[in-house]
Amino acid sequence: QVQLVESGGGLVQAGGSLRLSCEASGSIFSINTMGWYRQAPGKQRELVAIITSGGSTNYADSVKGRFTISRDNAQNTVFLQMDSLKPEDTAVYYCNADVRTTARVWLNNWGQGTQVTVSS
């Protein structure tokens, strides 16, 4: 019913930047919180940043001051601008969204993930 498609991952040197995008599509009535999570090999998935429909944001301590989350409500899209990247930021990044469908049902949705690799 709802699909999240991420783009923008890749390989970058330490200190570089990447911008991730995630577009939600399907039977969408409204979207509440959107966010980014990441999972490194052998580690649990962790929160990176979230943003509410009103624009309030929250970041993991490890990315504060380096990453910026934003969204375009008209396009049902969330972005993650990642600057000053470090090798420890290497992970698969997943988009997440709380979506109210046209059937007025709330669903929590995940994207397929996009790989971010930061070389030292």
Side-chain angles (χ1 to χ4, degrees):
Q1 290 185 346
V2 176
Q3 300 81 38
L4 301 180
V5 178
E6 300 117 331
S7 61
L11 172 64
V12 65
Q13 288 188 332
S17 299
L18 283 174
R19 181 176 171 86
L20 304 183
S21 300
C22 172
E23 181 179 4
S25 62
S27 303
I28 298 171
F29 178 75
S30 62
I31 303 178
N32 190 4
T33 301
M34 302 184 81
W36 291 94
Y37 294 73
R38 67 186 181 187
Q39 187 166 18
K43 295 187 176 182
Q44 290 188 330
R45 191 173 298 188
E46 63 176 4
L47 170 71
V48 176
I50 56 173
I51 183 168
T52 68
S53 56
S56 297
T57 59
N58 191 30
Y59 296 90
D61 288 343
S62 59
V63 306
K64 282 181 181 177
R66 300 188 298 122
F67 290 11
T68 303
I69 190 170
S70 61
R71 64 191 283 175
D72 182 336
N73 290 329
Q75 299 296 324
N76 293 331
T77 301
V78 63
F79 306 96
L80 186 68
Q81 177 66 42
M82 304 185 294
D83 299 318
S84 302
L85 282 160
K86 304 176 181 179
E88 50 264 43
D89 294 318
T90 295
V92 178
Y93 283 70
Y94 296 92
C95 176
N96 180 270
D98 287 323
V99 177
R100 193 178 187 194
T101 68
T102 52
R104 303 303 192 265
V105 174
W106 282 100
L107 296 176
N108 183 262
N109 302 271
W110 291 94
Q112 80 284 358
T114 185
Q115 177 69 46
V116 171
T117 303
V118 184
S119 63
S120 58

